[in-house]
Tab-separated table of all heavy atoms in Angstrom:
chain	number	residue	atom	x	y	z
A	317	ARG	N	1.772	-18.087	12.178
A	317	ARG	CA	1.777	-16.830	11.431
A	317	ARG	C	0.346	-16.297	11.320
A	317	ARG	O	0.104	-15.094	11.474
A	317	ARG	CB	2.348	-17.064	10.032
A	317	ARG	CG	2.478	-15.792	9.235
A	317	ARG	CD	2.828	-16.115	7.805
A	317	ARG	NE	1.803	-16.980	7.240
A	317	ARG	CZ	2.032	-17.910	6.324
A	317	ARG	NH1	3.247	-18.106	5.885
A	317	ARG	NH2	1.040	-18.641	5.856
A	378	PRO	N	-14.700	-9.776	2.694
A	378	PRO	CA	-13.669	-9.117	1.906
A	378	PRO	C	-14.227	-7.849	1.260
A	378	PRO	O	-15.452	-7.773	1.097
A	378	PRO	CB	-13.327	-10.160	0.848
A	378	PRO	CG	-14.536	-11.012	0.739
A	378	PRO	CD	-15.170	-11.010	2.088
A	383	PHE	N	-11.176	-10.140	6.810
A	383	PHE	CA	-11.217	-11.295	5.908
A	383	PHE	C	-9.848	-11.949	5.805
A	383	PHE	O	-9.722	-13.171	5.833
A	383	PHE	CB	-11.702	-10.856	4.530
A	383	PHE	CG	-11.443	-11.871	3.455
A	383	PHE	CD1	-12.154	-13.048	3.422
A	383	PHE	CD2	-10.478	-11.650	2.496
A	383	PHE	CE1	-11.912	-13.990	2.442
A	383	PHE	CE2	-10.227	-12.579	1.522
A	383	PHE	CZ	-10.946	-13.756	1.490
A	390	PHE	N	-7.714	-19.965	8.504
A	390	PHE	CA	-8.417	-21.064	7.825
A	390	PHE	C	-7.457	-21.826	6.920
A	390	PHE	O	-7.513	-23.051	6.825
A	390	PHE	CB	-9.589	-20.533	6.995
A	390	PHE	CG	-10.804	-20.209	7.818
A	390	PHE	CD1	-11.618	-19.129	7.504
A	390	PHE	CD2	-11.153	-20.992	8.896
A	390	PHE	CE1	-12.731	-18.835	8.266
A	390	PHE	CE2	-12.266	-20.705	9.658
A	390	PHE	CZ	-13.055	-19.620	9.334
A	395	GLN	N	-4.585	-26.690	5.619
A	395	GLN	CA	-3.292	-27.325	5.347
A	395	GLN	C	-3.003	-28.446	6.335
A	395	GLN	O	-2.494	-29.489	5.968
A	395	GLN	CB	-2.175	-26.289	5.441
A	395	GLN	CG	-2.066	-25.427	4.209
A	395	GLN	CD	-0.950	-24.423	4.336
A	395	GLN	OE1	-0.428	-24.192	5.412
A	395	GLN	NE2	-0.600	-23.804	3.234
A	413	THR	N	-21.868	-13.200	11.906
A	413	THR	CA	-22.198	-12.132	10.968
A	413	THR	C	-23.570	-11.559	11.271
A	413	THR	O	-23.804	-10.365	11.094
A	413	THR	CB	-22.173	-12.680	9.528
A	413	THR	OG1	-20.911	-13.255	9.305
A	413	THR	CG2	-22.409	-11.571	8.531
A	421	LYS	N	-27.588	-2.740	10.771
A	421	LYS	CA	-29.024	-2.541	10.567
A	421	LYS	C	-29.538	-1.430	11.473
A	421	LYS	O	-30.254	-0.529	11.025
A	421	LYS	CB	-29.751	-3.859	10.872
A	421	LYS	CG	-31.243	-3.775	10.813
A	421	LYS	CD	-31.903	-4.578	11.931
A	421	LYS	CE	-32.939	-3.753	12.595
A	421	LYS	NZ	-33.424	-4.247	13.851
A	424	TYR	N	-28.228	2.003	10.156
A	424	TYR	CA	-28.650	2.507	8.851
A	424	TYR	C	-30.138	2.331	8.573
A	424	TYR	O	-30.743	3.149	7.897
A	424	TYR	CB	-27.863	1.809	7.737
A	424	TYR	CG	-26.481	2.368	7.552
A	424	TYR	CD1	-25.375	1.716	8.054
A	424	TYR	CD2	-26.289	3.567	6.865
A	424	TYR	CE1	-24.106	2.233	7.887
A	424	TYR	CE2	-25.029	4.093	6.698
A	424	TYR	CZ	-23.935	3.413	7.206
A	424	TYR	OH	-22.689	3.936	7.037
A	425	PHE	N	-30.715	1.224	9.060
A	425	PHE	CA	-32.087	0.927	8.629
A	425	PHE	C	-33.117	1.477	9.603
A	425	PHE	O	-34.245	1.734	9.226
A	425	PHE	CB	-32.302	-0.584	8.477
A	425	PHE	CG	-31.345	-1.273	7.548
A	425	PHE	CD1	-31.332	-2.647	7.446
A	425	PHE	CD2	-30.473	-0.547	6.758
A	425	PHE	CE1	-30.449	-3.292	6.588
A	425	PHE	CE2	-29.584	-1.181	5.908
A	425	PHE	CZ	-29.577	-2.556	5.835
A	454	PHE	N	-5.837	-4.616	2.165
A	454	PHE	CA	-5.623	-5.510	1.025
A	454	PHE	C	-4.584	-4.958	0.045
A	454	PHE	O	-4.014	-5.705	-0.735
A	454	PHE	CB	-6.955	-5.792	0.306
A	454	PHE	CG	-7.481	-4.644	-0.504
A	454	PHE	CD1	-7.263	-4.585	-1.865
A	454	PHE	CD2	-8.205	-3.631	0.093
A	454	PHE	CE1	-7.755	-3.535	-2.616
A	454	PHE	CE2	-8.696	-2.583	-0.651
A	454	PHE	CZ	-8.471	-2.528	-2.012
B	74	TRP	N	1.125	-9.702	-5.777
B	74	TRP	CA	0.310	-9.227	-4.659
B	74	TRP	C	0.766	-9.915	-3.376
B	74	TRP	O	1.182	-9.271	-2.434
B	74	TRP	CB	-1.167	-9.477	-4.962
B	74	TRP	CG	-2.103	-8.848	-4.021
B	74	TRP	CD1	-1.967	-7.613	-3.425
B	74	TRP	CD2	-3.327	-9.384	-3.552
B	74	TRP	NE1	-3.050	-7.366	-2.628
B	74	TRP	CE2	-3.881	-8.424	-2.679
B	74	TRP	CE3	-4.008	-10.567	-3.786
B	74	TRP	CZ2	-5.102	-8.640	-2.038
B	74	TRP	CZ3	-5.210	-10.772	-3.156
B	74	TRP	CH2	-5.755	-9.802	-2.297
B	78	PHE	N	2.681	-16.712	-1.533
B	78	PHE	CA	1.555	-17.640	-1.432
B	78	PHE	C	1.043	-18.071	-2.801
B	78	PHE	O	0.100	-18.824	-2.889
B	78	PHE	CB	0.401	-16.988	-0.679
B	78	PHE	CG	0.736	-16.679	0.736
B	78	PHE	CD1	1.095	-15.402	1.105
B	78	PHE	CD2	0.712	-17.663	1.695
B	78	PHE	CE1	1.418	-15.116	2.405
B	78	PHE	CE2	1.040	-17.383	2.992
B	78	PHE	CZ	1.401	-16.104	3.351
B	115	ARG	N	-31.153	10.147	1.078
B	115	ARG	CA	-29.757	9.708	1.115
B	115	ARG	C	-29.240	9.345	-0.270
B	115	ARG	O	-28.722	8.255	-0.518
B	115	ARG	CB	-29.610	8.510	2.042
B	115	ARG	CG	-29.979	8.876	3.457
B	115	ARG	CD	-29.358	7.891	4.408
B	115	ARG	NE	-30.364	7.299	5.265
B	115	ARG	CZ	-30.093	6.364	6.165
B	115	ARG	NH1	-28.884	5.923	6.305
B	115	ARG	NH2	-31.052	5.897	6.929
B	143	TYR	N	-12.821	-14.349	-5.192
B	143	TYR	CA	-13.626	-14.485	-3.972
B	143	TYR	C	-13.842	-13.124	-3.306
B	143	TYR	O	-14.930	-12.832	-2.801
B	143	TYR	CB	-12.931	-15.435	-2.996
B	143	TYR	CG	-13.749	-15.689	-1.768
B	143	TYR	CD1	-14.798	-16.593	-1.803
B	143	TYR	CD2	-13.522	-15.001	-0.596
B	143	TYR	CE1	-15.578	-16.814	-0.689
B	143	TYR	CE2	-14.296	-15.214	0.532
B	143	TYR	CZ	-15.320	-16.127	0.468
B	143	TYR	OH	-16.100	-16.325	1.563
B	147	GLU	N	-17.612	-11.708	-2.767
B	147	GLU	CA	-18.193	-11.445	-1.465
B	147	GLU	C	-18.464	-9.962	-1.252
B	147	GLU	O	-19.439	-9.583	-0.619
B	147	GLU	CB	-17.234	-11.929	-0.375
B	147	GLU	CG	-17.229	-13.405	-0.208
B	147	GLU	CD	-18.431	-13.853	0.576
B	147	GLU	OE1	-18.410	-13.757	1.808
B	147	GLU	OE2	-19.395	-14.276	-0.079
B	158	GLY	N	-31.489	-2.820	2.331
B	158	GLY	CA	-31.875	-2.481	3.694
B	158	GLY	C	-32.246	-1.021	3.889
B	158	GLY	O	-33.091	-0.703	4.728
B	165	ARG	N	-37.848	-4.780	4.510
B	165	ARG	CA	-36.515	-4.714	3.930
B	165	ARG	C	-35.447	-5.308	4.846
B	165	ARG	O	-34.504	-5.931	4.375
B	165	ARG	CB	-36.159	-3.276	3.582
B	165	ARG	CG	-36.165	-2.352	4.770
B	165	ARG	CD	-35.991	-0.917	4.315
B	165	ARG	NE	-35.520	-0.085	5.401
B	165	ARG	CZ	-36.303	0.440	6.313
B	165	ARG	NH1	-37.595	0.233	6.255
B	165	ARG	NH2	-35.817	1.176	7.281
B	166	VAL	N	-35.609	-5.130	6.168
B	166	VAL	CA	-34.566	-5.603	7.079
B	166	VAL	C	-34.473	-7.122	7.025
B	166	VAL	O	-33.396	-7.703	6.915
B	166	VAL	CB	-34.869	-5.122	8.506
B	166	VAL	CG1	-33.862	-5.715	9.472
B	166	VAL	CG2	-34.824	-3.612	8.556
B	177	LEU	N	-23.765	-15.690	2.300
B	177	LEU	CA	-22.497	-15.822	3.030
B	177	LEU	C	-22.250	-17.268	3.430
B	177	LEU	O	-21.134	-17.769	3.312
B	177	LEU	CB	-22.519	-14.926	4.264
B	177	LEU	CG	-21.219	-14.915	5.049
B	177	LEU	CD1	-20.178	-14.100	4.320
B	177	LEU	CD2	-21.415	-14.371	6.440
B	188	LEU	N	-9.364	-22.751	-0.310
B	188	LEU	CA	-8.153	-23.001	0.483
B	188	LEU	C	-7.610	-24.405	0.207
B	188	LEU	O	-6.399	-24.600	0.115
B	188	LEU	CB	-8.463	-22.840	1.967
B	188	LEU	CG	-8.812	-21.412	2.385
B	188	LEU	CD1	-9.186	-21.363	3.845
B	188	LEU	CD2	-7.638	-20.489	2.116
B	192	TYR	N	-4.006	-25.193	-1.354
B	192	TYR	CA	-3.036	-26.059	-0.704
B	192	TYR	C	-2.596	-27.176	-1.646
B	192	TYR	O	-1.435	-27.558	-1.688
B	192	TYR	CB	-3.648	-26.644	0.573
B	192	TYR	CG	-2.693	-27.503	1.359
B	192	TYR	CD1	-1.418	-27.054	1.666
B	192	TYR	CD2	-3.068	-28.765	1.795
B	192	TYR	CE1	-0.544	-27.835	2.377
B	192	TYR	CE2	-2.198	-29.552	2.517
B	192	TYR	CZ	-0.929	-29.085	2.802
B	192	TYR	OH	-0.063	-29.858	3.500
Side-chain angles (χ1 to χ4, degrees):
Chain A
R317 184 189 58 212
F383 165 71
F390 281 144
Q395 281 180 346
T413 304
K421 175 220 132 194
Y424 281 102
F425 304 172
F454 73 98
Chain B
W74 190 37
F78 296 100
R115 298 201 235 178
Y143 184 79
E147 284 282 279
R165 60 188 201 277
V166 175
L177 184 75
L188 293 176
Y192 183 49

